[in-house]
Amino acid sequence: MSTINSIKGFKDILPADAPFWQFIEKVVRDVSRRYDFEELRPPIAEKTEIFARGIGEATDIVEKEMYSFVDKGEERITLRPEATAGIVRSVLEHHLTAGGRAVRLFCMGPMFRYEKPQKGRQRQFHQIDVEVLGDAGPYVDVEVLSWLNDFLHGLGLTGLMINLNSLGCPECRPAFRELLVKFFTARVESLCPDCQRRLEMNPLRIIDCKNEKCREIVKDAPIMLDHLCGDCTDHFNKVKELLDLLGLKYKVNPFLVRGLDYYTRTAFEVLSDDLGSQSAVAGGGRYDGLCKELGGVDIPAIGFAIGMERLVMLLKEKAAIEAQTPDYYLAVLSEAALPVAFKLAKDLRDNGHHVAGDWEVGSLKSRMKKADKSGAAKTIMIGDDELGRKQAVVRDMQAHEQTELDLAPYMA
Ligand SMILES: [Zn+2]
Ligand SMILES: [Zn+2]
């Protein structure tokens, strides 16, 4: 029979890589504890409608990239392509913001998109998501940015820079959108085919088109910051003031946009020197309109997502994270010593030690080779000699010193 391999675009995270993932997860939990953010674990599958409404029918994700299927109960189901829609669904369903309380949440886990697999892009990929729901004020915007900054700093990333913009609100954006449509309509011939399509569906997305010709045109386009209403201007100014107060470095970038209508006011990306100039480590912003879209309730919210695969790649380039090595390796040299060593291992483990051993009998030479390979700090050797003396030999692998350990408690 032939062997069965994994699904295209679905990768194993092997033991050699796991320490990088664990390190990232540990920093997420640590920063979240300090910022009073709680973990929410929504299911990985939701009703398809949630994503169609939450991400927008007209986006590439919903049109082409969703893992959707009809289950045996005729329910249309989708493996989550991103976390926000499910988190918002959960917050609304369980009334987590009842009584005007703001919830600060984080979530980590796999997401799924039917994309062409390539380097750093898989069909199952992982994201960290941070969302605060129930607070419309600028303090929370900066608190979220500060969480992100501390997290990236905690991973050891350097030269962090926040790119910041305001996308306005339902008061001021429609007029700006009209200006934009007018501007691009006059230049429609020069836009790339994607942007010609966007002009109808989603003109804001033209602003962050990567096409060279489009970028030339966008340079002269009107910018939202010149057309913010009074409240949006106040909010934006306060965000900048609070970033200064915390000493967080930022740059205003008027070309930073989010394509969907429910995004409001603060939008941001964080760049790091470790990634080169153009690409962001994380991006997010305020989405005050999404809850209404999904559940009819008006709950302001802000959040962002970070791809974990990319962070793992970065960490691997920067520094090795040592796998945890055992405190003890048990080298068993005779059949009779096996149960004694097995009992001793249990006792050591009960006392919190990391103990390795493979419950085979072998020569001293072959056992020591395995002990070396395990990276254990100490090797405990038990053979017939040791049983006779009721003393095991404990070798410190670094210092090459030997001591003895009383075996009597482990011998029947
Ligand atoms: Zn406004
Ligand atoms: Zn374009």
Side-chain angles (χ1 to χ4, degrees):
M1 263 199 296
S2 60
T3 53
I4 301 169
N5 292 330
S6 64
I7 308 167
K8 191 175 173 185
F10 288 66
K11 271 180 77 171
D12 298 303
I13 295 167
L14 294 169
D17 276 352
F20 293 97
W21 292 83
Q22 289 167 356
F23 174 63
I24 293 168
E25 288 159 7
K26 184 175 163 290
V27 178
V28 168
R29 290 181 201 289
D30 179 48
V31 176
S32 294
R33 182 187 59 79
R34 286 188 275 138
Y35 278 79
D36 194 32
F37 280 51
E38 302 170 292
E39 184 172 11
L40 174 72
R41 302 190 190 193
I44 58 164
E46 299 274 353
K47 291 177 183 170
T48 300
E49 196 191 349
I50 281 283
F51 301 112
R53 269 205 261 167
I55 305 173
E57 300 272 9
T59 59
D60 280 355
I61 299 173
V62 172
E63 278 177 1
K64 300 179 225 160
E65 296 171 1
M66 291 211 309
Y67 262 98
S68 301
F69 57 97
V70 179
D71 74 3
K72 292 189 170 107
E74 300 290 305
E75 184 103 72
R76 289 180 64 224
I77 282 174
T78 294
L79 299 184
R80 63 181 181 192
E82 54 96 60
T84 305
I87 290 172
V88 170
R89 193 268 312 139
S90 175
V91 168
L92 294 174
E93 185 171 336
H94 302 288
H95 310 289
L96 297 185
T97 57
R101 171 177 176 258
V103 273
R104 297 166 155 74
L105 301 168
F106 74 91
C107 158
M108 294 185 269
M111 313 288 153
F112 305 86
R113 288 188 198 176
Y114 197 82
E115 290 187 281
K116 210 174 165 169
Q118 48 183 286
K119 191 174 186 280
R121 200 174 270 223
Q122 299 299 326
R123 288 179 175 175
Q124 177 181 318
F125 59 100
H126 299 76
Q127 281 186 346
I128 300 157
D129 248 74
V130 168
E131 322 273 353
V132 180
L133 291 98
D135 190 331
Y139 278 88
V140 100
D141 295 18
V142 177
E143 194 175 33
V144 162
L145 278 164
S146 184
W147 187 108
L148 178 54
N149 182 79
D150 287 6
F151 167 69
L152 296 171
H153 190 76
L155 294 184
L157 299 197
T158 55
L160 299 174
M161 173 63 81
I162 298 164
N163 269 4
L164 191 69
N165 194 15
S166 175
L167 305 177
C169 71
E171 287 293 308
C172 51
R173 198 164 51 209
F176 167 71
R177 192 188 154 114
E178 260 176 53
L179 270 178
L180 210 58
V181 170
K182 221 173 180 177
F183 175 87
F184 287 126
T185 305
R187 294 157 180 82
V188 67
E189 302 296 319
S190 314
L191 293 172
C192 76
D194 278 343
C195 284
Q196 290 181 0
R197 198 169 55 101
R198 285 172 186 142
L199 188 53
E200 303 253 319
M201 316 279 290
N202 206 341
L204 265 124
R205 285 296 310 278
I206 301 175
I207 295 173
D208 68 351
C209 180
K210 301 283 177 275
N211 183 292
E212 270 310 314
K213 273 173 80 185
C214 295
R215 288 172 74 143
E216 264 317 298
I217 297 167
V218 166
K219 271 187 198 160
D220 303 318
I223 59 171
M224 186 70 235
L225 290 179
D226 292 337
H227 299 87
L228 294 177
C229 67
D231 286 349
C232 285
T233 305
D234 290 347
H235 188 100
F236 192 60
N237 287 339
K238 192 73 188 172
V239 166
K240 290 190 288 183
E241 191 186 309
L242 294 171
L243 286 170
D244 286 333
L245 183 69
L246 298 190
L248 296 172
K249 277 198 201 156
Y250 67 91
K251 199 172 79 186
V252 174
N253 177 358
F255 303 114
L256 180 65
V257 292
R258 299 274 173 259
L260 299 165
D261 281 344
Y262 58 72
Y263 282 105
T264 48
R265 294 189 175 164
T266 310
F268 58 82
E269 282 180 351
V270 177
L271 290 80
S272 159
D273 284 349
D274 297 310
L275 277 168
S277 57
Q278 290 294 317
S279 59
V281 198
R286 199 161 258 294
Y287 54 94
D288 290 345
L290 180 60
C291 289
K292 197 154 201 179
E293 194 82 25
L294 289 181
V297 205
D298 232 337
I299 299 172
I302 181 165
F304 62 83
I306 318 175
M308 294 177 80
E309 273 77 4
R310 186 107 161 287
L311 295 178
V312 168
M313 269 185 352
L314 269 174
L315 289 179
K316 280 170 126 176
E317 283 166 20
K318 280 183 85 77
I321 292 177
E322 294 290 330
Q324 288 225 329
T325 50
D327 302 316
Y328 295 101
Y329 184 87
L330 282 170
V332 185
L333 308 173
S334 79
E335 213 50 62
L338 262 179
V340 178
F342 201 56
K343 182 100 195 304
L344 169 60
K346 174 72 165 77
D347 191 47
L348 289 168
R349 285 166 174 164
D350 284 348
N351 283 294
H353 296 294
H354 175 174
V355 181
D358 45 25
W359 320 121
E360 277 172 14
V361 177
S363 69
L364 182 62
K365 199 178 156 195
S366 73
R367 294 301 94 181
M368 289 315 284
K369 216 172 176 177
K370 288 205 168 183
D372 257 337
K373 211 175 157 196
S374 78
K378 290 177 175 173
T379 301
I380 302 176
M381 289 169 270
I382 311 175
D384 287 338
D385 267 9
E386 286 74 19
L387 291 180
R389 293 187 290 115
K390 298 192 178 177
Q391 294 287 327
V393 175
V394 183
R395 178 182 290 176
D396 186 310
M397 305 296 279
Q398 289 289 316
H400 300 289
E401 283 167 4
Q402 296 200 161
T403 51
E404 303 223 301
L405 184 147
D406 185 17
L407 286 177
Y410 311 107
M411 296 172 70

